[in-house]
């Protein structure tokens, strides 16, 4: 699809306002944000970021909409989200193409991201009839106890550039069926995809007479996230991004005793056992390492390979990397697109410099690509280095296609290497040995929020709760019972007797 046609289809103008309360866009006086494509370096469009007055207007409208929205029956709220899923189906090609062009991921990944939004919409529709509580037996006669879940209020959503629309949908679609209103602060690196989503949702909300303010948008820089984190009107802030950002958000929200849902960085490893199917392991490792040009929080950063298959597997990796095609992600013949911007390229080069200083051996050397097709300056070579797991650069997450490999002798050693980093998001083991796989998934195995057997670290399904431990933040988004993060639990006891017995058998006479 032609990019100009995509922008027209999605209602993207040359200059766009960055604040909306739903269907209404607010004229702003914030800083100008220009979106350049890392694909070709061309300017796509501009956005006028929010100022503090605009931000307050968006949040105030979300507050005002909450009392009405929370009283809509949950299945009715689910029906609205179902219609959003249908609207996304109609706009899948256009929105997926814009995701690819503005962010730089392959067209297949861009379309897949929109499909993820459609899938979570379907999930949320079913969830709208399953917001279950529990019934408990009381120790007091003729008493009934149960728990129920109520919406929180305004949910603030801070999302990252690498999944510019999917992660927002994980949060907002669940928050909406739970009865909350939302204010979204997208990454300033990918503002146009957010505007496109806002307009798609606004049409559905308008057709269903949804209160203005249920879906707020506030596009801005770091200060916008700081306003949101310190805003006592927002009981829950869900933030996806770097560990540095998450620590700042968590501290600010915690300082006011609010709630934060943090899904932060990863430093993900695959253990390749001597009992592995090496062909499957190689495919999982390569996609995990180079998909989205290494800019997924679930990207495979480290390969921990058994010494008996190390040399053979290394040869497979080198052969596979020689066959990688790097270029325009809209061309489906290419495997790897660009990094998001030149700052990311700088981080990639800094990491390579640190690896060399540490004594790393290059298995596949890195570098920045130039010439025809690479004019944006954002295309780099996926590379592989032999490293020591303890080196500071290996302990740190670099958002780029850098893959670190190392040997192990025993499974216990491999698990210790995998777990021996500050992050704890995604992990995997490649083995056909049942005892190895069960040990890996046991209490003495992976310490990550996601642990897989015979699939890679990247490409989680929406049905499972997504998130990790340690410096990954501990939050869970998307499937399973992640909906509970967007609600408050209330325990209720009803006395239907003619007496007033006290718990624990306490006697009180007056």
């Amino acid at each position: 699809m032609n990019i100009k046609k995509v922008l027209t289809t999605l209602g993207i103008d040359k200059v766009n306002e960055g604040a909306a309360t739903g269907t209404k866009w607010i004229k702003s006086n914030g800083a100008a944000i220009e979106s350049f494509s890392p694909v070709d370096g061309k300017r796509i469009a501009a956005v006028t970021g929010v100022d503090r007055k605009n931000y307050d207007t968006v949040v105030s409208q979300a507050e005002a909409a909450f009392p009405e929205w929370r009283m809509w029956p949950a299945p009715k709220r689910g029906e609205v989200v179902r219609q959003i899923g249908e609207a996304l189906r109609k706009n899948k090609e256009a929105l997926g193409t814009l995701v690819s062009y503005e962010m730089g991921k392959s067209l297949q990944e861009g379309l897949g991201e929109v499909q993820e939004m459609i899938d979570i919409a379907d999930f949320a529709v079913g969830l709208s009839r399953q917001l279950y509580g529990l019934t408990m037996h009381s120790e007091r006669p003729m008493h009934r106890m149960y728990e129920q879940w109520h919406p929180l209020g305004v949910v603030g959503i801070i999302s990252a550039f690498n999944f510019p629309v999917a992660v927002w949908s994980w949060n907002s679609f669940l928050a909406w069926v739970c009865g909350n209103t939302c204010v979204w602060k997208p990454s300033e690196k990918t503002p146009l995809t957010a505007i496109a989503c806002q307009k798609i949702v606004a049409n559905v909300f308008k057709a269903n007479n949804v209160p203005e303010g249920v879906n707020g948008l506030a596009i801005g820089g770091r200060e916008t996230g700081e306003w949101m984190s310190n805003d006592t009107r927002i009981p829950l802030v869900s933030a996806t991004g770097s560990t540095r950002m998450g620590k700042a958000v968590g501290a600010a929200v915690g300082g006011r005793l609010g709630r934060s849902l943090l899904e932060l960085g990863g430093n993900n490893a695959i253990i390749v056992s001597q009992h592995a199917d090496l062909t499957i392991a190689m495919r999982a490792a390569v996609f995990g390492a180079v998909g989205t040009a290494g800019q997924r929080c679930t990207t495979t950063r480290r390969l921990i390979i058994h010494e008996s298959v190390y040399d053979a597997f290394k040869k497979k990796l080198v052969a596979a990397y020689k066959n990688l095609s790097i270029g325009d992600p809209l061309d489906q013949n290419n495997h790897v697109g660009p990094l998001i911007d030149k700052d990311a390229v700088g981080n990639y080069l800094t990491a390579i410099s640190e690896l060399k200083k540490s004594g790393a051996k290059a298995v596949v050397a890195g570098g920045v690509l130039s010439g025809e097709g690479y004019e944006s300056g954002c295309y780099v070579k996926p590379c592989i280095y032999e490293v020591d797991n303890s080196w500071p650069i290996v302990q740190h997450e670099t958002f780029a296609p850098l893959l670190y490999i190392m040997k192990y002798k025993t499974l216990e050693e491999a698990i210790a290497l995998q777990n021996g980093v500050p992050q704890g998001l995604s992990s995997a083991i490649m083995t056909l040995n049942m005892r190895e796989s069960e040990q890996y998934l046991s209490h003495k195995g992976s310490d990550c929020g996601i642990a897989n057997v015979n699939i890679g670290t990247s490409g989680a399904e929406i049905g499972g709760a997504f998130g990790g431990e340690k410096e990954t933040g501990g939050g869970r988004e998307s499937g399973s019972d992640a909906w509970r993060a967007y609600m408050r639990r209330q325990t209720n006891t009803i006395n239907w007797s003619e007496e007033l017995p006290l718990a624990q058998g306490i006697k009180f006479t007056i």
Side-chain angles (χ1 to χ4, degrees):
M1 184 179 280
N2 179 276
I3 294 301
K4 287 185 178 180
K5 185 178 179 182
V6 165
L7 297 177
T8 300
T9 299
L10 297 173
I12 306 297
D13 299 320
K14 290 183 178 180
V15 179
N16 305 268
E17 296 298 341
T21 56
T23 62
K24 298 176 182 177
W25 293 84
I26 305 169
K27 187 169 180 58
S28 181
N29 294 310
I33 300 170
E34 292 194 315
S35 179
F36 290 87
S37 172
V39 175
D40 53 19
K42 294 180 180 178
R43 179 184 181 277
I44 312 172
V47 176
T48 304
V50 295
D51 55 29
R52 185 59 198 248
K53 181 180 178 182
N54 302 142
Y55 166 82
D56 284 333
T57 298
V58 173
V59 177
S60 294
Q61 189 63 52
E63 264 196 312
F66 175 60
E68 179 182 345
W69 180 241
R70 69 184 174 186
M71 296 310 296
W72 283 40
K76 186 177 178 182
R77 296 192 297 257
E79 166 58 18
V80 175
V81 174
R82 185 195 68 79
Q83 293 177 34
I84 293 172
E86 291 302 308
L88 288 168
R89 284 179 172 90
K90 293 176 183 176
N91 288 279
K92 180 178 177 178
E93 183 180 0
L95 184 56
T97 302
L98 180 59
V99 167
S100 177
Y101 187 63
E102 187 176 33
M103 185 268 150
K105 63 175 58 176
S106 73
L107 180 58
Q108 281 299 308
E109 291 181 85
L111 295 171
E113 184 167 347
V114 181
Q115 185 60 49
E116 203 166 329
M117 302 172 77
I118 295 166
D119 292 343
I120 201 69
D122 290 346
F123 179 89
V125 174
L127 178 64
S128 69
R129 295 180 183 271
Q130 299 179 78
L131 301 173
Y132 299 136
L134 295 173
T135 299
M136 292 80 76
H137 287 278
S138 173
E139 67 184 58
R140 290 168 284 187
M142 299 183 190
H143 282 57
R144 180 165 67 90
M145 289 181 66
Y146 70 98
E147 68 179 24
Q148 58 182 332
W149 296 83
H150 295 305
L152 288 169
V154 182
V155 173
I157 302 168
I158 300 173
S159 62
F161 73 85
N162 59 333
F163 279 85
V165 293
V167 172
W168 163 75
S169 71
W170 291 358
N171 285 275
S172 59
F173 294 3
L174 297 195
W176 287 335
V177 298
C178 289
N180 301 294
T181 59
C182 296
V183 175
W184 180 20
K185 183 240 173 277
S187 170
E188 61 271 33
K189 295 184 178 183
T190 50
L192 304 182
T193 52
I195 289 171
C197 289
Q198 183 75 17
K199 292 190 174 184
I200 290 169
V201 170
N203 290 333
V204 175
F205 277 15
K206 185 176 181 179
N208 287 273
N209 296 311
V210 171
E212 185 75 11
V214 172
N215 183 36
L217 179 66
I219 300 176
R222 179 176 179 174
E223 71 284 351
T224 309
E226 291 172 348
W227 298 336
M228 184 176 284
S229 300
N230 288 286
D231 197 332
T232 56
R233 296 171 295 178
I234 301 178
L236 171 66
V237 176
S238 176
T240 302
S242 69
T243 296
R244 177 200 57 76
M245 178 274 292
K247 287 180 177 179
V249 170
V253 177
R256 59 179 175 86
L257 297 182
R259 296 191 194 180
S260 58
L261 193 167
L262 303 176
E263 198 287 289
L264 310 173
N267 195 345
N268 316 295
I270 297 177
I271 296 172
V272 181
S273 164
Q274 70 269 42
H275 304 296
D277 180 323
L278 295 186
T279 300
I280 290 177
M282 184 273 292
R283 291 178 63 190
V286 175
F287 175 74
V290 308
T292 323
Q295 297 172 109
R296 293 188 178 210
C297 52
T298 56
T299 289
T300 303
R301 308 284 174 200
R302 298 172 296 138
L303 283 184
I304 303 164
I305 309 164
H306 192 270
E307 61 183 6
S308 66
V309 296
Y310 184 85
D311 290 335
F313 196 71
K314 185 165 70 170
K315 287 179 181 178
K316 283 181 174 288
L317 283 173
V318 171
Y321 270 55
K322 286 180 179 177
N323 289 326
L324 291 175
S325 180
I326 307 166
D328 185 344
L330 296 175
D331 181 346
Q332 298 193 48
N333 292 314
N334 291 324
H335 301 102
V336 185
L339 294 177
I340 184 65
D341 55 25
K342 290 183 179 179
D343 285 343
V345 174
N347 291 335
Y348 162 87
L349 292 173
T350 298
I352 291 176
S353 177
E354 289 299 315
L355 285 164
K356 290 177 179 177
K357 289 178 184 177
S358 299
K361 179 182 177 183
V363 177
V364 176
V368 180
L369 295 168
S370 60
E372 186 177 353
Y374 304 126
E375 289 86 356
S376 70
C378 296
Y379 291 87
V380 301
K381 298 177 183 178
C383 51
I384 304 172
Y385 286 88
E386 291 180 309
V387 301
D388 188 303
N389 197 62
S390 65
W391 292 346
I393 188 61
V394 178
Q395 294 281 307
H396 172 77
E397 178 189 41
T398 301
F399 238 40
L402 291 163
L403 180 62
Y404 307 136
I405 63 174
M406 61 198 80
K407 295 179 183 179
Y408 78 92
K409 292 182 179 181
T410 67
L411 182 59
E412 289 76 12
E413 179 191 0
I415 291 171
L417 287 169
Q418 178 204 280
N419 295 346
V421 293
Q423 309 84 358
L425 179 51
S426 188
S427 59
I429 187 171
M430 297 291 169
T431 182
L432 302 179
N433 183 302
M434 185 186 73
R435 287 180 175 173
E436 283 193 331
S437 64
E438 290 298 323
Q439 179 176 338
Y440 182 76
L441 300 177
S442 75
H443 305 320
K444 63 187 295 187
S446 172
D447 67 358
C448 295
I450 299 169
N452 299 325
V453 176
N454 293 329
I455 63 170
T457 61
S458 194
E461 297 182 31
I462 61 97
F466 183 88
E469 302 303 318
K470 301 187 294 188
E471 286 193 359
T472 301
R476 294 296 186 273
E477 300 171 319
S478 191
S480 185
D481 65 349
W483 61 271
R484 295 185 179 200
Y486 305 93
M487 305 196 83
R488 58 182 176 88
R489 187 198 307 248
Q490 184 180 80
T491 301
N492 308 108
T493 307
I494 301 167
N495 177 9
W496 54 279
S497 76
E498 295 179 355
E499 304 293 335
L500 189 65
L502 301 177
Q504 292 84 46
I506 294 173
K507 303 296 183 183
F508 181 78
T509 303
I510 189 169

